[in-house]
Amino acid sequence: MSTPSSSANAPSRELLEKIFRTAYKIRVFETEGIKLYRQGLIRGYFHPYLGQEGIATGVCAALREGDFIASTHRGHGHCIAWGADVNRMVAELLQKESGYCKGFGGSMHIADIKAGNLGANGIVGAGTPLGVGAALANQIKGSDAVTVTFTTDGASNNGTFLESLNLAAIWNLAFVLVIENNQYAVSTKIEESTRETDLYKRGIAIGVPSFQVDGNDPIAVHDITREAVEMCRRGEGPVLIEARTFRHMGHHVNDPGKYMPEDKLAYYKARDPVDRARAAFMDMGGADKAEIEKIEAEIAAEFESAVEFSTASSEVSIEDFREFAVGY
Amino acid sequence: MSTPSSSANAPSRELLEKIFRTAYKIRVFETEGIKLYRQGLIRGYFHPYLGQEGIATGVCAALREGDFIASTHRGHGHCIAWGADVNRMVAELLQKESGYCKGFGGSMHIADIKAGNLGANGIVGAGTPLGVGAALANQIKGSDAVTVTFTTDGASNNGTFLESLNLAAIWNLAFVLVIENNQYAVSTKIEESTRETDLYKRGIAIGVPSFQVDGNDPIAVHDITREAVEMCRRGEGPVLIEARTFRHMGHHVNDPGKYMPEDKLAYYKARDPVDRARAAFMDMGGADKAEIEKIEAEIAAEFESAVEFSTASSEVSIEDFREFAVGY
Amino acid sequence: MAFRELMYREALREAIDEEMARSPEVFIIGEGIAERGGSYKVTEGLLAKYGPKRVRDTPIAEAGMIGVGVGAAIAGARPIVEILYVDFAMLGMDMIVNQAAKFRLMTGGEGRVPFVLRTQGGAGGGVAAQHSQSLEALFYHIPGLRVVMPSSPADAKGLLKYALRQSDPVMFLEHKHLYMTKGLVPDGEHIVEFGKADIKRPGKDVTLIAWSNMVPTALAAAEELAAQGIEAEVLDPRTLVPLDKAMILASVSKTKRAVIVQEANRRGGVASDICSIIQEELFYDLDAPIEIVAGLDIPIPFNLTLEKASVPQKSDVVAAARRALHQDPLGLAAQ
Amino acid sequence: MAFRELMYREALREAIDEEMARSPEVFIIGEGIAERGGSYKVTEGLLAKYGPKRVRDTPIAEAGMIGVGVGAAIAGARPIVEILYVDFAMLGMDMIVNQAAKFRLMTGGEGRVPFVLRTQGGAGGGVAAQHSQSLEALFYHIPGLRVVMPSSPADAKGLLKYALRQSDPVMFLEHKHLYMTKGLVPDGEHIVEFGKADIKRPGKDVTLIAWSNMVPTALAAAEELAAQGIEAEVLDPRTLVPLDKAMILASVSKTKRAVIVQEANRRGGVASDICSIIQEELFYDLDAPIEIVAGLDIPIPFNLTLEKASVPQKSDVVAAARRALHQDPLGLAAQ
Ligand SMILES: Cc1ncc(C[n+]2csc(CCOP(=O)(O)OP(=O)(O)O)c2C)c(N)n1
Ligand SMILES: Cc1ncc(C[n+]2csc(CCOP(=O)(O)OP(=O)(O)O)c2C)c(N)n1
Ligand SMILES: [Mg+2]
Ligand SMILES: [Mg+2]
């Protein structure tokens, strides 16, 4: 099953604005974050979401408060699309107490349980069982919340994929698994990891309604997610969505990504999801250049002030840490 | 993909005799083994293969010396079909030093590495990666041996299934995965464990040629396995075969199996694989009643003498054990 | 206080039943636990009482089950995941070690994981190497997990109820040989806090530290030692994490001799760690080396004689206690 | 003997290269190890030299990779499986614990598993809780596994070559901070047998037992202690299983004081077990409690200051050694 690359019903201006704002915010966060990384201010791993913004953006725009998400090692985009506070995200990357995890987690572990974000994860594939678990908890509570796990092409060859999606299926959980198929796991091409690169077929093989969508088209992603979410709220979950996409750079900040073919990169850059979100907002939503510029400036300022906020924040003290560490 | 329930090319008398002998030997082994168990002579777990004889029998008849098999917790039938020495099997069940594993393994661990039997396994699903590993070793060695792993419906929902079959696929290994779909995992019906009970579809979803066959028809199992094995030797592996079957009793000797529906049991008993092997040998192979009776008597005697052999054997002494146990 | 005699498995069932009645967030999943009532009959009757939403069978997918349990806990439920054998928990080890145990710290204390994994271990009955392990040391080492190993029906009930009210991931490790053992369980609300050891038999000459199925063994050894004029104190930590160091140190300060008894194999077991704590704190008080009585460093064999030879027996404990008391240093009595 | 200076990762590469040249049964699989040469560049150049049959990339499927390696070993090959982080080995724990470790015994000694799992552990650089663990204690406890933790390029090479010639499953645990460290490696065939500890620095006053990345820390501490007039002996077991108990006991008999240094968290670590062995054998010889210097019982935090506070530093080792010598019992020097 696959879907058209653009929406059938015209999306509202509000939705178009939201999608553009989100996609652009992710773009700024990653671009500026990489600069901080290169300055040595961010340490550890940093897996940029550049090029994949359309997916988090489109998916989260189809969710509502009370829903849940779980994410991957490449999780900044999901947090932002979910409405995270950029101050607390930057503070986390800068190891500060004002960060989402008090600087204990870092890039691969940003979470916001109260807001329903079960967090990024340093173990490829682990977000799937966690998300299915949240969906199970919600079913038991009688809630109609939907849980989305963002996962990857790499994770689709991992046992957790089969085990947990199958559990979601037999229990008819309100769970959407979004595979961000960026066609690489570090330097390994998807064709080298599996014979069947249409990953949505793995859902069908265990009886899960499964779709494929252009992940670089945020509107299309939104539309198919909305459908999936509605199916889930009607008790027809789970649903699998495979979103095709491509990274704009290497696997992490320090990976030059030389193995990525130029022509393929050019192809996907020509279909840049942020450009498409902007174009959609302008073409279908009627936004003009001035409005766009204003929004872009706002977002840039938001990031700048987040860096200021974070820089001014302090780290957890050794004393507080010692106290925190008791009882493990 | 599925296959006709009986062979297209007429099978040879030799093959028909082999199939009947094997199926019957398994039947006797399990029936008599259960008696020993009920007498308290066999301890631990004993998962009878009764009702599933057609699968091990048909599959192994399509293999040749130098090939490999790996098995499940329900492994007696695979050993016998692979040509195991019944003396050493019974001795193992009776905890004797003359057993395949010197009494260290028991029912769930009978193996014969030298003969290419990687063994039964107490962990559901574990035989699959082990078998893929053997196939990989053979590919690296440049051998044209084929490895068959017998696995189960239960194991098909387990992560090892996806991970290891996928590895076999990307490496084009000479590996055949035979799912013995007996439709139950202990008391859990397959319909309760998965929405898609056609398990061969899971192979197709990752690009593995996959077939479904009537597991109670040993000739059909033989034919499809021969085809699969030929594909493997031509470098077209791996292949998945789902063989439908049903147990004749509960999960293990102490499980009354009350949850198994009478009518379903009757249906499958009417299609008893041993009866079908006998009938095939008589109808297609021209064996008469006298020949059948002679074979049956021979096999019964073989088992009896195995019990005598085993009873006369001694257990590993504590002293030898202490020595054996050094350096773990 | 009034008591009733219950089997260990009945006590566990009561704990689950009471907590399910009390909190709608408690639910249980596992292989064959619903209709069939579980392989150890712990969950019998719960399906009928709480329905298929809260009592669910699973496919054979330990990593998935455990991971789903952890996710449900993070999202605010109180799952119990039953794993048939602790050996099979190895399939879900990533979910235990890298998710459940770490989530709280990784989220700066925000995320909590009130997840209970119930399973059973131990050798006996010829179920061989993959169904006989005592793996508590693996969980004990991982910061963030709670490790609970009840030896009696009363402790089983009280500790499981406590497990279902606290907020950290619990490895609740039962023993296959204890399910049908009986003991007195207090009527009414009976809760046993984590981190409180229990003196199962008081004594002054030597401290026997034992948990799970080694408690009956230690008690039997104490009986025999008593006949020899030695008063052994039998101390059951009940929870290995948190460990009641204070009570262990108080007992050994008194007796000046410790014998630690574990069914798990010797190398890298929990006994070694308890030993290291005692020697650190009571180095100058000990009258004899701390004795460790443990399983052989070997996978458990199928053969029942060898299986028995692989795990500690009463006579091993008696011999160790006597060595600790500088009696029978050549171990002749044990032969 | 002639030597060359090599990096730890180059020494590992040489070992693999030489053994692949020597035995056609040796092959290696892992994530990104072929074309890309591995995340730690250990396997650089091997694909070109040995081709895609014997040097293969894998999907992200740790349980599958490990299981396939174990199966290949059983069937007579000599696989090396590279797992990027020891943390991820938890995904294949069933294959390690229930298959690789047990196969030999379960088959009565018939089946052998010449399987080498190479991976790396340790904290540092802000890679946080799921990429920083030192998990040797988990493997150390499981009978049937060999646990190897080289601290120098020469040991790395010699031990890996030995690993590829013996017939039991080996957990070959490298350290992320050692890959670029340099050291002298003997020319020619250089093999280090398992079970032989190495005195990295001789001394008479106190024995510092350390492995992997704690060896440099212990050596630095010994340097500082020397400046204070204390001669510390630094003993590196090199292989934790088999453990060279004889050399450990000989050293501690001489110094009468032991400090065990491990990066892993304290509770249930290998240090506790070594401590239990020393106290058992040398109870009457020790002049001070055995000191354990270990990581905090906590998942490793991302914040680099707190990360550092979570694992042993040179000053901790110096302080412990001084305590063992009854100098500075209040630990003032460490502040
Ligand atoms: C279980 C596990 N194995 C390996 C890794 C190391 N690793 C981190 S990201 C990555 C590649 C992931 O590729 P994919 O899953 O497709 O996600 P992408 O990076 O493309 O978003 C690998 C191998 C890991 N974090 N977890
Ligand atoms: C990983 C694992 N989980 C659970 C078990 C316990 N167990 C043994 S056999 C069995 C049912 C197996 O059903 P299936 O896989 O379909 O094989 P069958 O018994 O039908 O041959 C279970 C749950 C096990 N041995 N291993
Ligand atoms: Mg990818
Ligand atoms: Mg079955």
Side-chain angles (χ1 to χ4, degrees), chain B residues 13-188:
Chain B
R13 187 181 207 278
E14 199 191 337
L15 176 66
L16 291 165
E17 175 173 348
K18 184 175 183 184
I19 284 177
F20 169 61
R21 278 186 176 272
T22 304
Y24 190 77
K25 199 190 275 192
I26 300 171
R27 177 64 51 94
V28 167
F29 188 93
E30 296 298 60
T31 313
E32 297 300 317
I34 290 170
K35 289 183 195 155
L36 297 177
Y37 194 96
R38 298 214 196 280
Q39 290 164 40
L41 294 172
I42 299 178
R43 302 292 292 274
Y45 279 116
F46 185 127
H47 303 96
Y49 199 62
L50 296 171
Q52 304 184 200
E53 295 92 339
I55 303 171
T57 299
V59 167
C60 291
L63 298 175
R64 66 184 189 207
E65 227 190 284
D67 289 339
F68 287 78
I69 66 162
S71 154
T72 68
H73 57 285
R74 196 178 298 289
H76 305 161
H78 310 124
C79 290
I80 292 170
W82 191 242
D85 175 350
V86 175
N87 283 346
R88 293 183 66 196
M89 284 186 67
V90 173
E92 185 59 33
L93 297 184
L94 294 180
Q95 315 175 33
K96 298 304 175 74
E97 186 161 15
S98 55
Y100 269 107
C101 310
K102 299 195 168 129
F104 285 43
S107 168
M108 286 189 297
H109 305 293
I110 298 179
D112 187 0
I113 311 303
K114 285 200 197 84
N117 178 354
L118 305 180
N121 213 303
I123 304 294
V124 168
T128 309
L130 298 185
V132 173
L136 175 60
N138 284 321
Q139 189 190 62
I140 287 170
K141 276 185 221 160
S143 151
D144 70 348
V146 170
T147 303
V148 173
T149 286
F150 295 94
T151 188
T152 60
D153 52 303
S156 310
N157 301 314
N158 195 281
T160 48
F161 171 87
L162 171 62
E163 293 193 12
S164 35
L165 188 58
N166 187 58
L167 288 172
I170 58 171
W171 294 334
N172 307 317
L173 298 181
F175 176 70
V176 181
L177 187 61
V178 177
I179 303 179
E180 305 196 13
N181 185 353
N182 66 8
Q183 308 173 56
Y184 274 93
V186 194
S187 59
T188 305

Side-chain angles (χ1 to χ4, degrees), chain C residues 227-241:
Chain C
Q228 301 175 18
I230 297 169
E231 286 177 39
E233 177 147 298
V234 178
L235 185 153
D236 176 359
R238 302 198 285 195
T239 61
L240 297 176
V241 184

